[in-house]
Amino acid sequence: MIVGHSISNADGVIQAIDEPVATLLQRHRDQLVGISYISITHPDDLALNLAKVGALKTNGQSTRIRKRYIGGKGDVIKMEVQVSRLAGCDGGLLIGTLSTIDDDQDLDYGPRRLWRRAREFLDIMHARDEILGAELFADHAWTILLLTYVAEAEGRIASTEMVSDHLSLSRATIERWLRVLQSKTLIEPVRAGIDALQLTQTGIDKVERLLDQRLAIPVA
């Protein structure tokens, strides 16, 4: 299950982190902002972590890292982090999507299952629009949430431009829908100068609750 996100500068110093992630790491958010992720990474996992992050290309493919953190109480905390390098000033930003992992749990019943179900929704909706005509349907808000969720699960950066292309709607229309989703605390406000969409923790929780429902996927 996705816990939340972190934003670090090019050197790995944490600039922002979601409160649920801080709680899982047994710290307050203000204790983590301003320190390097290196300082809380298990020493045995550090070399691989640095190698994978160092190989990231700006605005390129993400990398998935299974690693251990040292919690504020000294506990070893296992997590999976999907990391992308986003272009920006001073070398850019490292965007992390953090998920819990359980070695005793089949991954088919964890985050991968929810990711696959989200992809299935998008595929069904695409086929529906192709066969019946997109003009008959207007589930833009749900599509934006799914696109953002899938992008985060795959370690990519969802953007207004990407969503606009997917829905064949103007950027202005997408921005109006984003304001609605932000008013419902489902999407984070877009940071000035960075076209990157991110679900809030409330958004993640509610999307995953819907994806976890044992219901047939609707076609209309």
Side-chain angles (χ1 to χ4, degrees):
M1 179 181 293
I2 294 176
V3 178
H5 312 86
S6 67
I7 301 175
S8 302
N9 67 16
D11 296 322
V13 177
I14 298 168
Q15 308 296 297
I17 192 163
D18 290 343
E19 189 63 46
V21 180
T23 299
L24 190 61
L25 294 174
Q26 302 172 341
R27 293 173 173 88
H28 297 296
R29 186 160 46 186
D30 57 7
Q31 292 176 303
L32 292 169
V33 172
I35 69 170
S36 172
Y37 72 84
I38 293 173
S39 66
I40 58 173
T41 296
H42 194 287
D44 293 343
D45 295 344
L46 190 54
L48 179 61
N49 194 159
L50 289 172
K52 286 196 169 187
V53 171
L56 285 171
K57 302 297 183 183
T58 301
N59 295 335
Q61 285 282 76
S62 66
T63 189
R64 187 183 298 272
I65 304 169
R66 279 199 163 201
K67 59 181 290 186
R68 291 165 292 176
Y69 290 97
I70 303 300
K73 299 177 181 178
D75 295 340
V76 175
I77 300 161
K78 297 179 181 179
M79 297 188 75
E80 185 171 84
V81 189
Q82 192 87 19
V83 187
S84 299
R85 189 183 298 277
L86 187 65
C89 60
D90 299 325
L93 297 171
L94 298 172
I95 310 297
T97 300
L98 294 94
S99 305
T100 55
I101 57 175
D102 183 353
D103 289 339
D104 297 326
Q105 183 182 43
D106 186 339
L107 285 177
D108 193 47
Y109 294 94
R112 291 178 186 272
R113 178 176 60 85
L114 297 179
W115 164 74
R116 279 203 301 270
R117 192 158 175 82
R119 297 266 359 160
E120 287 172 357
F121 267 103
L122 288 171
D123 289 344
I124 288 292
M125 291 160 70
H126 176 73
R128 175 201 68 185
D129 292 350
E130 287 286 315
I131 295 170
L132 300 177
E135 69 276 5
L136 294 176
F137 308 96
D139 40 14
H140 304 323
W142 178 228
T143 304
I144 292 170
L145 292 173
L146 282 176
L147 288 171
T148 305
Y149 180 84
V150 167
E152 291 187 6
E154 295 175 353
R156 297 181 288 106
I157 304 297
S159 67
T160 306
E161 182 179 359
M162 179 268 281
V163 173
S164 176
D165 289 342
H166 183 95
L167 288 171
S168 299
L169 294 173
S170 70
R171 187 182 181 96
T173 299
I174 298 302
E175 288 173 347
R176 286 198 295 271
W177 277 108
L178 288 174
R179 287 194 291 272
V180 172
L181 293 170
Q182 289 164 11
S183 73
K184 300 291 186 181
T185 325
L186 299 172
I187 290 274
E188 296 281 5
V190 178
R191 297 180 63 177
I194 301 178
D195 185 13
L197 306 182
Q198 179 179 309
L199 296 176
T200 63
Q201 188 59 44
T202 297
I204 292 170
D205 291 344
K206 290 189 174 182
V207 168
E208 290 188 335
R209 279 176 59 193
L210 284 169
L211 293 174
D212 205 33
Q213 297 297 306
R214 296 183 180 278
L215 302 173
I217 296 175
V219 297

